[in-house]
Amino acid sequence: MSGATDSLAHAVKEQEEGLLNCVHCGFCLPACPTYRRLGDEADSPRGRLHLMRAVVEGRLDPGSEAFQTHIGRCLGCRACEPVCPSGVEYGNLLELARHVGGEARKPSLLTRLLLRVFGTEWLARPAMFAGRAVRATGIPVLVTRLLAGSVPPRGPRLGLAMLAASGPMRGLRAAPAGSGSPRPAARLRATVGLLTGCVQAGLFSRVNEATVRVLEANGYQVVPVDAQGCCGALHAHAGDLEAARTMARRNVEAFEGAGVDYLAMNASGCGAAMAEYGSLLSHDPIMRDRAAAIAGRVRDVSELLAACGPVRGSAVRMKATWDAPCHLVHAQRVSGPPQAVLDAVPELEVLPLAGATECCGGAGIYGLTHPHLGGWIGGDKVGSVLESGADILVTGNPGCMMQIGAGLRLAGSEVPVLHLVELLDESYRRAGFYAGRPDHGNGRRP
Ligand code: SF4
Ligand code: SF4
């Protein structure tokens, strides 16, 4: 038995010892997006647990088509966890299963390429620069318009549509910046270090900038954490646990050094990964306690804002609908705080979204590596957004913004996709909170 299979065997054994035992009840099946669409037991959480157990017991080769296909098709959305009466830690087992599967058979070239780029700073930076340069030409928006209504794209065309969706969306610029006085400094509540992220920093720097402004407007001091790096979420989900652990160690040291009260997250996939650093590094005697301490200070930006009110801005008279990112609502179990943030925007009408807690099909790199199934799931999400009657779709993760934004544009819709903090930031800009600030007080959105 390989070391990786040993790890999986160890995890399943812990479950067998009565802590987190699957009782085959099937409550998780209706919650699973892949089972709901494919109707195959092997594409359900329970079916995948059977496959894992078969590998651990030596009845199934982890390189087999069955194991590779059905474990590979899992989104890692973790919608199966909150509904499980036995508390099966499915996300943890999936990462171990992918680790075992990856040792038996190499992941696809695209998967390896994406992980290599995101896991190597000197590759990620130029890749993000190239993405921004291509985006600035306007070609992705043009190609996406030409593709609208055609068969679901894949490969480079899908990549271009996602790139188009990462750009600032029109729809909120009509109102001028408020001319009122800047908001007086709020009482200092706490210090925070913002995880700037790789995709977030590379393609959504406006979201990071908005995050800093809204946190400061609510009394948080945002401390720069220069030594941080990629959180490792993509690598952990793909089963490359060694790479994920290396990234986790770097971030633990970086945020420890910053000495902040909280780690602020505006990408829920990254937040979920960092909140589990204690478990990821549990077998490292030097790092485990430090990792657990850092993980305990991780907060989604919506949690930080909800904890203090948040301050209300000026009216944004629009209809918005909220899509809950899987790694916020299922993995981190954060559901109330985003609503508190939406409530802080006066005159914003919040409409319900059917299937708001179901995965959008983006799931890290899944939308690119599984364009058919990811596009199918994403298409259903786009349909729900259009049916909701909303003018704006609001969410909390860059991957979801790109997946849903690409889907909307390919459906010929101009509904903008915004991060939650962008909406509150706009409300504050209209209120004049940023008057005089070089980065946002002149009526120009960044
Ligand atoms: S809900 Fe939990 S216990 Fe029931 S089948 Fe699914 S994983 Fe097993
Ligand atoms: S993580 Fe999501 S896709 Fe995977 S088994 Fe659970 S519910 Fe299904």
Side-chain angles (χ1 to χ4, degrees):
M1 198 179 274
S2 74
T5 311
D6 266 342
S7 305
L8 179 59
H10 180 71
V12 171
K13 190 162 171 40
E14 282 178 359
Q15 307 241 345
E16 281 175 341
E17 283 168 358
L19 291 172
L20 304 167
N21 207 11
C22 174
V23 294
H24 317 298
C25 64
F27 286 178
C28 53
L29 270 59
C32 176
T34 56
Y35 177 75
R36 275 159 42 86
R37 286 171 181 80
L38 301 172
D40 184 342
E41 170 78 15
D43 284 311
S44 74
R46 184 174 63 183
R48 292 183 175 117
L49 290 170
H50 274 301
L51 290 170
M52 292 177 203
R53 190 177 296 275
V55 165
V56 169
E57 292 173 0
R59 292 181 283 110
L60 184 68
D61 175 4
S64 65
E65 205 55 44
F67 191 77
Q68 294 282 327
T69 300
H70 300 298
I71 296 297
R73 274 189 200 146
C74 177
L75 293 149
C77 70
R78 298 172 61 176
C80 44
E81 286 190 23
V83 297
C84 175
S86 302
V88 172
E89 291 180 0
Y90 181 87
N92 179 26
L93 288 168
L94 176 69
E95 288 174 1
L96 290 164
R98 290 224 165 115
H99 185 44
V100 174
E103 287 209 331
R105 203 203 282 186
K106 274 187 181 175
S108 72
L109 182 61
L110 179 59
T111 301
R112 281 183 281 143
L113 182 68
L114 290 168
L115 293 181
R116 183 70 193 269
V117 169
F118 284 113
T120 317
E121 210 162 293
W122 61 266
L123 289 175
R125 281 179 189 269
M128 290 295 145
F129 177 80
R132 289 195 300 276
V134 172
R135 187 175 70 184
T137 65
I139 292 171
V141 171
L142 193 64
V143 170
T144 306
R145 281 206 184 115
L146 292 173
L147 284 172
S150 63
V151 289
R154 53 174 58 199
R157 290 176 300 161
L158 179 56
L160 281 176
M162 287 184 160
L163 204 49
S166 73
M169 300 246 180
R170 291 189 184 86
L172 281 176
R173 295 187 185 191
S179 55
S181 50
R183 179 173 163 67
R187 176 179 62 84
L188 176 65
R189 293 176 191 278
T191 57
V192 298
L194 173 66
L195 179 82
T196 51
C198 29
V199 175
Q200 199 79 294
L203 297 177
F204 292 93
S205 57
R206 66 181 191 278
V207 175
N208 280 346
E209 290 159 8
T211 303
V212 172
R213 284 189 294 267
V214 298
L215 284 173
E216 286 178 351
N218 282 280
Y220 291 99
Q221 182 188 351
V222 183
V223 176
V225 184
D226 295 330
Q228 64 175 293
C230 173
C231 68
L234 293 178
H235 297 78
H237 298 163
D240 187 351
L241 297 177
E242 275 321 303
R245 287 180 182 126
T246 300
M247 294 175 201
R249 288 186 190 99
R250 172 181 171 170
N251 282 326
V252 169
E253 288 182 352
F255 282 93
E256 271 181 349
V260 289
D261 298 319
Y262 298 110
L263 282 68
M265 303 287 137
N266 59 15
S268 54
C270 308
M274 292 190 74
E276 291 173 2
Y277 272 0
S279 136
L280 183 66
L281 295 176
S282 61
H283 300 294
D284 180 336
I286 297 171
M287 294 299 286
R288 77 175 153 228
D289 292 342
R290 294 165 61 190
I294 284 293
R297 286 190 247 157
V298 168
R299 299 286 186 279
D300 186 73
V301 63
S302 64
E303 292 181 280
L304 292 169
L305 293 169
C308 60
V311 173
R312 287 168 69 79
S314 274
V316 177
R317 293 184 190 91
M318 298 190 85
K319 295 176 185 171
T321 194
W322 163 251
D323 180 66
C326 306
H327 283 89
L328 188 62
V329 68
H330 302 312
Q332 297 184 70
R333 313 278 170 101
V334 173
S335 55
Q339 187 59 51
V341 176
L342 292 170
D343 289 345
V345 180
E347 299 186 42
L348 182 76
E349 188 179 348
V350 182
L351 302 173
L353 178 69
T357 57
E358 188 179 68
C359 182
C360 64
I365 57 174
Y366 190 97
L368 291 168
T369 58
H370 293 73
H372 175 68
L373 192 48
W376 184 0
I377 296 167
D380 290 345
K381 180 71 75 182
V382 166
S384 295
V385 174
L386 297 177
E387 279 168 22
S388 73
D391 308 319
I392 332 168
L393 184 276
V394 187
T395 187
N397 191 52
C400 310
M401 292 173 74
M402 291 171 84
Q403 172 81 356
I404 303 172
L408 283 166
R409 283 173 180 255
L410 288 166
S413 166
E414 292 292 324
V415 170
V417 178
L418 296 178
H419 192 285
L420 186 64
V421 294
E422 284 188 283
L423 187 58
L424 190 60
D425 185 54
E426 174 62 13
S427 173
Y428 288 179
R429 185 185 71 84
R430 292 183 184 190
F433 287 3
Y434 307 136
R437 276 182 70 141
D439 59 339
H440 207 58
N442 56 2
R444 179 178 56 80
R445 286 179 61 75

